[in-house]
Amino acid sequence: MLNPKIDLQLQLQQRLAQQLSTIYADINLPISIASLVAELMSTMRLTEQLHTPTPQVNHWSEKDTILITYGDSIVHSDEKPLQTLHHFLQHYCADTINSVHILPFFPYSSDDGFSVIDYASVNEALGDWSDIKQIAQSHHLMSDLVINHCSSRSKWFDNFIRGEGTGHDYFYTATTYANSAYSNACDTITRSDDSIEAVVRPRTSPLFRSTTTASGKQQVWCTFSHDQVDLDFTNPKVLINFVSIIRQYLDNGIKIFRLDAIAFLWKKAGTQCINLPETHEMVRLLRTLIEHARADAVIITETNIPNKENLTYFGNGNEAHCIYNFALPPLLVNTLITGNCQYLKQWMMSMPPAQNGTAYFNFIASHDGIGLRPTEGLLSEQEINQLVTTMQEFGGRISWRTVTVNDSSTENAQTKVVQTKKTQQPYELNITLYDALQGTTKGVDEWGHARFICAHAIMLALEGIPGIYIHSLLGTSNDYKKLEHTSHNRAINRHRWDLDTLSLELGDPKSQHARALHDINHLITLRTAQPAFHPNATQFTLQLGEQVFGFWRQSIDRSQSVFCISNIADTQLTLPLASVNLISSDFWYDLISGDTIEDINQTLTLQPYQTLWLSNR
């Protein structure tokens, strides 16, 4: 009879071998699958200590709220920014925020951290690994694994140019693409080659950068920018190196892994090079390795793509533990500026409940803009155009992407050949959430703060784990100076606060920053005490008309019900409680105001953007 530990290792080896065989089915590997399995297990130290993850276990609860922040979103002259961040969390969010997502804190060359020079080091300007560990001791720590690409100034890319050393064969080139499965392309792909027309990207820059190397000129694939060179995961050495990076992050207290831009990881000629089966299998492989190293570790996939495609990253409960709810930000902003919740309700009713062991990651603002691709099939073109125009009127900027569409005007009736043309479509809205909600499609009004808090009251009550961007927590407005200085649209929502200045603002209870922090913290405090707000508790959409958005949450043990009802219009409305169907034998009250419901058949008056959380306990 096998030793249980040996038996578990054999089972894991078989599982990894199956996953690797699927990923590399079309690749002529330089090593055997068995050798690759052994290398990965050794790198992750699974031969020394092996945890057995329990299927369908929720590693989260209603107590969890994640703060999204850069390591230097708040700075102080007397200390490293990571230390300042820790002090801010302890002083202003001690009873509300228990998790923190520190955006890339590594040495980088561009894109505010997402062009990583060295994955193994902490940016000296922020602090060091001891500062990361200190935060991890008091908070669940989430870190980016920027896995699709790295900086063109990295040692790896230097070695690629030199043609020797670690990294010399780590990068995806036109030659790699031409030689990929199903390709009948020539040996070299040019920037205008028809074979890359179908490739989906979120940028308008040329796909390839021309780079002179020791072996001649190479066309290097760049999904995002020419400083962000794509890594070639058809080479198993790239995978092994990233598994080594993951092990280091685990050792430094990181529990939650955000797989950045994971949808673009695998490329193959003749495809759109996004969401390929090999990418999904790679997510499953990384999950297998990570959760056997730490049973309560969590993977979140960052896939800013149409909603239907985003949902596939749950797999069968065996891929991402959590997926970003990318459709929520644009739909919720659209709801609040139009005063009509039709599209938000339609989307809510179409969303499948996350099965145990998986959860939605809800957010309405982040370091990036408000993505519009997730609205494809959810908002009409007219609604999107109105949303874009309104955000521009509120001082926002628009980022674009290039798409290829059929040009019906050039169709040849005899040959039935349809020509294509390139056009630009809005990709994301760049604006702070506070400014995005300062008015409606009619213009700026006096209800901006109430509308802003209403958005958070809705998000915090939804099925899933809430994430709050630090500039929403602090009610930060558009940073036009940083936008002008960087000429980068996303900089408008990446303000850097001086702690002394921020402290003065937070010390004034009438400032928008103090009001935002107080009101959001109040909602979080209420949320953490409600079993009905467990990320996996039951959710049901209510039908209360176009100007009242409502849904019902019920705790997993069915002991608590909370009816979450928001007036999303700029006018006072009445709500007949009979339309909500409160149970007559229960005692009901509003968690937010503390008001009791004396008669379940009474009619309530809702102020503009007022939210009720009607609970029976």
Side-chain angles (χ1 to χ4, degrees), residues 31 169 611:
I31 61 174
D169 52 356
T611 294

Side-chain angles (χ1 to χ4, degrees), residues 18 47 58 62 64 96 104 122 126 145 182 185 211 236 245 271 298 407 426 442 448 453 531:
Q18 182 180 22
T47 54
N58 299 321
E62 63 276 10
D64 295 314
T96 53
V122 175
L126 299 177
L145 189 68
Y182 311 117
T211 303
I245 291 164
T271 74
V298 172
D407 184 4
K442 295 177 288 188
I453 297 303

Side-chain angles (χ1 to χ4, degrees), residues 366-606:
S366 75
H367 61 291
D368 288 340
I370 299 172
L372 293 175
R373 283 215 69 202
T375 66
E376 294 176 13
L378 300 175
L379 289 180
S380 66
E381 184 176 353
Q382 180 181 358
E383 288 284 328
I384 292 174
N385 290 338
Q386 180 179 242
L387 180 58
V388 166
T389 299
T390 304
M391 292 304 102
Q392 288 176 316
E393 291 174 352
F394 292 167
R397 301 294 188 268
I398 310 300
S399 294
W400 304 83
R401 71 184 184 101
T402 300
V403 297
T404 302
V405 297
N406 290 337
D407 184 4
S408 58
S409 65
T410 62
E411 183 174 352
N412 186 315
Q414 293 180 333
T415 62
K416 301 296 182 182
V417 173
V418 178
Q419 301 295 321
T420 62
K421 65 178 182 181
K422 289 187 176 182
T423 186
Q424 290 195 345
Q425 290 183 354
Y427 173 70
E428 69 177 18
L429 312 170
N430 302 114
I431 189 170
T432 67
L433 186 65
Y434 200 90
D435 284 358
L437 297 175
Q438 64 186 282
T440 68
T441 54
K442 295 177 288 188
V444 175
D445 59 26
E446 74 270 31
W447 300 108
H449 182 81
R451 194 179 291 112
F452 174 76
I453 297 303
C454 177
H456 285 89
I458 291 172
M459 187 268 286
L460 285 165
L462 287 172
E463 174 192 348
I465 303 166
I468 297 179
Y469 186 39
I470 193 166
H471 292 305
S472 294
L473 185 69
L474 298 174
T476 309
S477 291
N478 292 336
D479 190 336
Y480 295 112
K481 288 184 179 179
K482 191 168 186 178
L483 174 65
E484 182 180 0
H485 177 71
T486 63
S487 300
H488 183 33
N489 283 352
R490 287 177 171 176
I492 200 171
N493 194 20
R494 296 178 180 178
H495 181 69
R496 182 176 295 161
W497 277 103
D498 172 74
L499 180 61
D500 292 337
T501 303
L502 178 61
S503 298
L504 286 174
E505 291 289 345
L506 297 180
D508 176 6
K510 294 183 180 180
S511 76
Q512 71 182 51
H513 312 293
R515 293 174 67 202
L517 178 65
H518 174 272
D519 292 351
I520 294 174
N521 268 342
H522 175 59
L523 291 173
I524 297 173
T525 300
L526 293 172
R527 180 185 190 277
T528 58
Q530 316 309 321
F533 288 155
H534 186 285
N536 294 88
T538 297
Q539 178 171 287
F540 183 81
T541 307
L542 304 177
Q543 300 299 324
L544 301 173
E546 292 184 344
Q547 293 185 306
V548 179
F549 179 65
F551 51 97
W552 167 60
R553 300 296 310 279
Q554 185 182 55
S555 60
I556 294 172
D557 65 3
R558 300 189 179 184
S559 66
Q560 184 188 28
S561 287
V562 179
F563 290 87
C564 309
I565 300 167
S566 297
N567 176 3
I568 50 89
D570 59 1
T571 57
Q572 190 180 84
L573 298 175
T574 56
L575 174 71
L577 280 180
S579 63
V580 182
N581 294 321
L582 302 181
I583 299 173
S584 60
S585 59
D586 287 351
F587 170 79
W588 295 91
Y589 73 106
D590 176 24
L591 291 167
I592 296 176
S593 68
D595 294 340
T596 60
I597 302 300
E598 303 297 339
D599 179 3
I600 64 169
N601 293 311
Q602 71 185 94
T603 296
L604 299 181
T605 299
L606 296 179

Side-chain angles (χ1 to χ4, degrees), residues 87-272:
H87 295 156
F88 171 83
L89 290 167
Q90 292 177 314
H91 186 71
Y92 291 102
C93 313
D95 299 322
T96 53
I97 302 292
N98 73 343
S99 308
V100 59
H101 171 201
I102 305 177
L103 291 155
F105 46 81
F106 320 103
Y108 70 97
S109 55
S110 64
D111 198 16
D112 281 354
F114 285 91
S115 186
V116 178
I117 291 176
D118 180 7
Y119 291 87
S121 301
V122 175
N123 185 345
E124 291 182 357
L126 299 177
D128 55 34
W129 282 113
S130 67
D131 299 313
I132 294 295
K133 285 184 175 180
Q134 186 179 40
I135 294 174
Q137 287 173 0
S138 57
H139 293 76
H140 301 311
L141 183 55
M142 176 172 165
S143 173
D144 292 274
L145 189 68
V146 186
I147 195 169
N148 178 73
H149 53 262
C150 72
S151 169
S152 66
R153 290 173 53 192
S154 65
K155 184 66 175 177
W156 291 349
F157 200 67
D158 285 345
N159 288 342
F160 169 76
I161 293 172
R162 292 171 57 241
E164 60 183 13
T166 302
H168 79 275
D169 52 356
Y170 275 20
F171 296 93
Y172 202 86
T173 66
T175 303
T176 318
Y177 179 74
N179 293 333
S180 62
Y182 311 117
S183 174
N184 55 9
C186 58
D187 290 338
T188 302
I189 308 295
T190 67
R191 299 181 187 195
S192 60
D193 197 291
D194 290 343
S195 64
I196 64 171
E197 288 297 313
V199 173
V200 173
R201 313 171 50 226
R203 297 292 186 270
T204 58
S205 58
L207 175 58
F208 294 108
R209 62 166 276 170
S210 181
T211 303
T212 302
T213 73
S215 57
K217 189 160 288 188
Q218 295 268 20
Q219 302 295 327
V220 182
W221 189 288
C222 299
T223 298
F224 294 93
S225 78
H226 283 191
D227 185 44
Q228 294 165 294
V229 282
D230 281 36
L231 294 153
D232 180 12
F233 275 83
T234 64
N235 179 356
K237 287 188 286 186
V238 178
L239 172 61
I240 293 168
N241 210 322
F242 268 90
V243 169
S244 174
I245 291 164
I246 290 170
R247 180 68 259 182
Q248 181 186 10
Y249 292 1
L250 285 166
D251 291 341
N252 282 282
I254 292 165
K255 175 187 176 182
I256 309 170
F257 292 82
R258 177 185 184 268
L259 304 187
D260 177 67
I262 187 68
F264 303 97
L265 186 73
W266 202 270
K267 291 87 172 171
K268 184 180 290 186
T271 74
Q272 294 184 327

